[in-house]
């Protein structure tokens, strides 16, 4: 079974600095999708960034980028120029590529709580 | 667009009471999900639906029932609430493709005394 591990329960960063959140996963599949979701204090989860495993190029969304290392099964999130509004819980998630059965489901990590210090 | 709307936002129940959580989405999504979020346990899938009239069990379905009579609505029922069901419940929806992102509601804080 697939698993997702976020080894950093809590992280902190100074405003305007860069921070990297770690995520590793375990799978026997060759094709899959990876996601980072943000959960601010308002509770509503929103997608930050996603990566298709078949793409070698790392995904980027404005100040957010990933370091996807397929062989190492690592999917870290880098937040550049951190802002106070980035303070939130960040969840890493995995989904298999086959759109049937269990592969419809996302496998979630336990989250990393990010604090941004002014 | 309202997106995904959950009602109610907060609820307190006594053990043994029943209730229904309502999730409504206005994006014409095929897939809908119910999750619960507990400290230290992340998000766990309760039930999900891949289309109107269909439902399936997730990781932790016991004690819950669901129905999807209309495409835009996904109901989560607790027939006899237990303290172990104290949690924050999230509804989410998405299009059919596997790389599609989930759209989440803002959650329901449920306490069972």
């Amino acid at each position: 079974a697939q698993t997702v591990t976020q080894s950093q329960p809590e992280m902190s960063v100074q405003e305007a600095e860069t921070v990297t959140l770690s995520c590793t996963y375990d799978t026997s599949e060759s094709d899959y999708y990876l996601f980072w979701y943000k959960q601010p204090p308002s509770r509503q989860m929103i997608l930050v960034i996603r990566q298709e495993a078949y793409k070698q190029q790392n995904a980027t969304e404005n100040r957010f980028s990933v370091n996807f290392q397929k062989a190492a099964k690592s999917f870290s999130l880098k937040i550049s120029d951190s802002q106070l509004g980035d303070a939130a819980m960040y969840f890493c998630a995995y989904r298999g590529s086959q759109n049937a059965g269990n592969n419809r489901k996302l496998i979630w990590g336990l989250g990393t709580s990010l604090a941004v210090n002014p | 667009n309202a997106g995904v709307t959950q009602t109610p936002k907060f609820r307190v129940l006594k053990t043994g009471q029943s209730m229904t959580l309502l999730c409504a989405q206005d994006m014409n999504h095929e897939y809908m999900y119910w999750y619960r979020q507990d400290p230290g346990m992340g998000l766990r899938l309760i039930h999900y639906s891949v289309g109107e009239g269909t439902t399936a069990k997730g990781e932790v379905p016991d004690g819950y029932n669901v129905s999807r009579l209309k495409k835009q609505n996904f109901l989560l029922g607790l027939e006899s609430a237990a303290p172990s069901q104290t949690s924050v419940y999230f509804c989410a929806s998405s299009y059919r493709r596997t790389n599609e992102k989930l759209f989440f509601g803002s959650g329901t804080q449920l306490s069972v005394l």
Side-chain angles (χ1 to χ4, degrees), chain A residues 8-97:
Chain A
Q8 306 151 315
E10 297 178 348
M11 294 278 288
S12 65
V13 63
Q14 290 296 127
E15 196 175 2
E17 297 294 310
T18 296
V19 64
T20 299
L21 308 184
S22 299
C23 174
T24 58
Y25 57 93
D26 187 23
T27 184
S28 58
E29 298 178 304
S30 59
D31 197 15
Y32 47 85
Y33 303 93
L34 296 163
F35 306 83
W36 278 99
Y37 280 86
K38 171 184 177 182
Q39 185 178 37
S42 65
R43 280 196 325 216
Q44 191 165 18
M45 302 259 279
I46 55 174
L47 179 72
V48 174
I49 198 165
R50 61 185 154 189
Q51 174 83 40
E52 288 88 349
Y54 62 85
K55 291 186 178 179
Q56 294 186 341
Q57 187 172 7
N58 289 326
T60 299
E61 289 286 343
N62 301 314
R63 297 182 296 106
F64 298 87
S65 61
V66 299
N67 183 5
F68 174 49
Q69 301 288 332
K70 191 172 184 179
K73 297 179 182 176
S74 172
F75 182 59
S76 60
L77 174 69
K78 186 171 83 171
I79 306 174
S80 304
D81 186 25
S82 297
Q83 300 176 359
L84 296 177
D86 294 334
M89 183 73 82
Y90 288 83
F91 291 93
C92 179
Y94 166 102
R95 173 183 275 166
S97 64

Side-chain angles (χ1 to χ4, degrees), chain A residues 33 35 37 39 42-45 47 50 52 91 95-99 101 103-106 108-110, chain B residues 9 31 33 35 37 40-43 45 48 50 90 96 98-102 104-109:
Chain A
Y33 303 93
F35 306 83
Y37 280 86
Q39 185 178 37
S42 65
R43 280 196 325 216
Q44 191 165 18
M45 302 259 279
L47 179 72
R50 61 185 154 189
E52 288 88 349
F91 291 93
R95 173 183 275 166
S97 64
Q98 295 304 312
N99 195 22
N103 280 331
R104 291 193 185 97
K105 305 172 196 174
L106 279 168
W108 296 85
L110 295 184
Chain B
K9 296 192 184 307
Y31 291 179
Y33 309 81
Y35 286 94
Q37 184 177 30
M41 302 194 75
L43 281 161
L45 183 64
Y48 64 99
V50 300
F90 288 96
R96 182 179 298 144
T98 52
N99 66 338
E100 283 294 330
K101 67 179 180 180
L102 267 60
F104 282 84
S106 57
T108 297
Q109 174 71 60

Side-chain angles (χ1 to χ4, degrees), chain B residues 79-97:
Chain B
E79 291 183 347
S80 179
S84 61
Q85 294 178 305
T86 294
S87 186
V88 180
Y89 292 84
F90 288 96
C91 177
S93 68
S94 74
Y95 290 111
R96 182 179 298 144
R97 292 188 297 274

